[in-house]
Every structure is written in structure tokens, then in C-alpha cells.
Amino acid sequence: MLTAFREDTFRRFSGHFDQHSDTADAGPSCAHSIKMAVEHVVEETSGRLRAVSGYSRRLREPVATALRSIDEMVDQIPGVFSCQRSTFATDPHVNAFFADHNSLREVFSTSKEVRDLFDTNAAAEQCFALLCMRREERRQLGVALVDDQLRKDVMQITVSFTAHQLVSPGLDEDAAKCALKCCIFNCVIGHVRTRTTQLTSDTSDLENRARALNGRLRRLAAGTPEHAALQRQIEALDAELQQQGPRLNSLDEELRFVADSLLRLDDIVACRHQTLYVDRLGIKQDNAAATNVHELHLAEIQVATKPPRVARLVSFPRAELL
């Protein structure tokens, strides 16, 4: 299902859908892709939503809106750069992202997906992929030139990139972008599914506790200390229920929650662009004025409360495989 609507939606139509109409701008085939995407959302959140009358129609606009937002988000990520031994020495991004050229080659060479791609495409000279990493910053004392004097007690911030992961390698840049868009979309759906389950479970638990306390309260005489204490507990539970969020007491309410979540994608996923200045040793600098400082353009993607990950589109030549 995911591969099918990925090809029809993200790659062919680039997310340009009419959110105010039941027909997409690109015609019947595009509308068919949106329908497949809707079914994918329902399947991954709760298949029971198909019992709600008009579920597909009600989800069309939210799904198209989410796809378009993700499409625009990924298209703003800086373009592909080549990862290989020669660029490790010349490209500041490659130099910063990897400890050395051997670790660079190891990341790609140990990827089963990269190996499988080259094995099944004998003529392919390079692959493209989404490279995800975790950015880490550490404070430490180091050596620096301060007021023309060499000091060994200067507090510095080192920047490093770890936990490298390659996502869905492809034969061209479009395939790599497509993989990232689908990855984000699936992460959003997973978050919505988790929130739906959590809201249903937490609300049910609080309501059961409130019913039990109300039952005890009816058996107590009014005006007693125990009655007053129990009343305060019930009021606290009621306040917690009010802060809990939407109550999903029916499939219709659950469908509305899924649709609203997709329409408010900014509450779930964010892509932050920032510029870092580092030297060849990975020491963070305030600006580009210092000697031998490189400017790094980073895009960090964060879904819900998960740690943000630096995402870059990269290419890697077959000849560099270990």
C-alpha cells in the first residue's frame, strides 16, 4: 500500500492537490492516489473507522493537506551532496558528518539496502539515499588563541554526528526525496495512532475511577470529613479529564480526531533549518569570521516528542563500497 500511493502521490503529483474539492488537480489518477492514501491512514490507525459513514470523503482533505505540507517541507531540505573519500577532504558537510573516510564508507557498505540496490541494478554507478544522524554537542576545555595568547583552559563546544542511518536508497534524487516524504508521513500516522490509543485508554481509566469514587460518595453522609475529602478527589479527577484532550467515546469522534491531527501537521512534525559554524576539528564557532571555519546548513526533522534527527540527501558511488 505504501509503495503504491508513494509512486502515485509524492513522486508523480508532488503534493499539488486541491484541498477544497473532491477531485485533485492532476485528474482521476491523482484522485485515485489520494483514495489509496486515505485507506493507508485508516488501515494504520484503526480499520474500524471504515464503519463510519463517509469516512473516505471526510479524510480526503486532511490527507491531501498533510501530503502537501510534507512535500513542501522536504523540498526545502538542501540538495544532494556526494559522500566519498575525495569529498571528505573538500566538502565541509561530509567532513563534519563522518569521523573519517573509512567510517563514511562503512556506513554505506554495511547497509543491506544499499548492497541489495547495487546487486539488483548492475549498471548503477551510484545510489541516492536519505542520511539521518543525531547531532551531539559537548562542552569541554580546549586550547585556543585568546587576545594573541595561547590558552589551554578555554571552554569549547564540540559538534559531532552519530547514529548514522540510511533510509530507502534509490537510483536518483527523486527516489531519495520520495523515501523521506513517505517516512515522515508514516511517522505522523504512527503518532496519531499512539495518541488515539492513549487518549482512549487514559480517558476510560479516569472515567472508571470517577464513577467508583462517586459510588462511594453516595454512600457517605454529607458534611463528614471523609465526604469532603472524597469530593475533592472527584473534583481533581474532573479537572484532569478536562485537560486530557478530546474524549474519543465513539468511532465518529475518533475519525474527527484523526482528521484534525492531519490538518494540524505543525503540531506533530517540524523541520528546523539552522546554520552552524565549525572548524575542521568540530569546534563550534560563533560566526564565520574565525580562521578555517566552515558553514554548515542543517535541516533537523522532529516528529512529536522524538529526538530531532539531522536529515540530508546524499549520493554514494558503487566504487567506494568496502
Side-chain angles (χ1 to χ4, degrees):
M1 178 71 76
L2 175 60
T3 301
F5 87 73
R6 176 180 69 184
E7 293 297 326
D8 287 339
T9 304
F10 280 130
R11 180 186 286 276
R12 187 182 300 173
F13 304 110
S14 301
H16 299 297
F17 306 107
D18 183 358
Q19 61 178 338
H20 303 296
S21 170
D22 284 340
T23 58
D25 291 338
S29 57
C30 183
H32 177 66
S33 297
I34 288 294
K35 182 178 180 181
M36 294 176 66
V38 167
E39 293 302 319
H40 178 70
V41 170
V42 172
E43 188 68 30
E44 293 299 315
T45 52
S46 174
R48 299 184 306 158
L49 296 179
R50 293 190 175 94
V52 180
S53 177
Y55 77 91
S56 182
R57 172 182 53 79
R58 291 169 61 179
L59 285 176
R60 284 179 62 85
E61 178 182 336
V63 168
T65 299
L67 291 174
R68 184 174 56 252
S69 297
I70 293 172
D71 191 81
E72 294 172 353
M73 179 188 303
V74 172
D75 284 344
Q76 293 176 5
I77 293 178
V80 171
F81 62 81
S82 177
C83 291
Q84 51 186 304
R85 282 175 294 184
S86 60
T87 57
F88 179 81
T90 60
D91 191 313
H93 289 88
V94 180
N95 182 266
F97 290 159
F98 299 95
D100 52 48
H101 62 79
N102 286 325
S103 64
L104 181 159
R105 298 174 67 195
E106 185 177 354
V107 167
F108 288 87
S109 299
T110 56
S111 168
K112 184 178 183 301
E113 288 186 306
V114 169
R115 291 280 186 181
D116 290 344
L117 181 72
F118 281 133
D119 287 344
T120 55
N121 297 273
E125 296 183 358
Q126 63 179 336
C127 71
F128 294 76
L130 170 70
L131 175 64
C132 292
M133 301 160 287
R134 183 175 297 116
R135 177 165 63 97
E136 297 182 352
E137 294 190 3
R138 292 188 175 90
R139 297 177 66 86
Q140 64 180 29
L141 292 176
V143 179
L145 195 64
V146 179
D147 296 330
D148 295 329
Q149 291 185 346
L150 191 64
R151 295 179 52 180
K152 300 181 180 180
D153 58 350
V154 178
M155 184 60 68
Q156 298 173 332
I157 298 177
T158 61
V159 180
S160 60
F161 297 86
T162 62
H164 298 76
Q165 179 184 8
L166 295 170
V167 178
S168 299
L171 296 177
D172 53 41
E173 180 178 349
D174 286 343
K177 284 188 174 182
C178 187
L180 173 54
K181 294 170 185 178
C182 291
C183 178
I184 294 174
F185 188 55
N186 263 6
C187 287
V188 168
I189 297 173
H191 172 75
V192 173
R193 178 180 62 245
T194 299
R195 283 290 293 151
T196 301
T197 303
Q198 184 181 24
L199 283 172
T200 303
S201 175
D202 291 351
T203 301
S204 177
D205 180 59
L206 290 173
E207 289 176 341
N208 288 337
R209 288 166 58 190
R211 280 194 292 269
L213 291 177
N214 277 301
R216 288 174 53 192
L217 186 68
R218 288 191 292 269
R219 294 191 293 270
L220 295 174
T224 63
E226 187 177 2
H227 184 281
L230 206 56
Q231 184 65 49
R232 287 192 295 271
Q233 292 184 49
I234 293 173
E235 291 173 355
L237 276 178
D238 287 340
E240 191 172 349
L241 273 169
Q242 292 299 322
Q243 298 174 356
Q244 190 67 32
R247 300 190 187 186
L248 310 182
N249 294 322
S250 67
L251 287 177
D252 190 80
E253 291 176 348
E254 187 174 332
L255 179 66
R256 187 182 304 117
F257 176 76
V258 173
D260 289 345
S261 297
L262 293 175
L263 287 172
R264 299 196 306 269
L265 203 69
D266 289 346
D267 295 341
I268 302 176
V269 61
C271 182
R272 303 179 184 89
H273 296 265
Q274 57 181 302
T275 300
L276 287 184
Y277 301 98
V278 299
D279 62 19
R280 297 288 290 188
L281 298 177
I283 307 299
K284 188 175 181 180
Q285 307 293 327
D286 293 333
N287 51 57
T291 306
N292 297 323
V293 168
H294 300 292
E295 187 174 312
L296 303 182
H297 300 284
L298 305 182
E300 285 191 329
I301 298 176
Q302 183 172 18
V303 179
T305 58
K306 294 181 179 179
R309 302 272 287 177
V310 174
R312 284 300 303 257
L313 296 167
V314 300
S315 64
F316 180 77
R318 178 195 292 268
E320 293 279 322
L321 283 173
L322 292 173

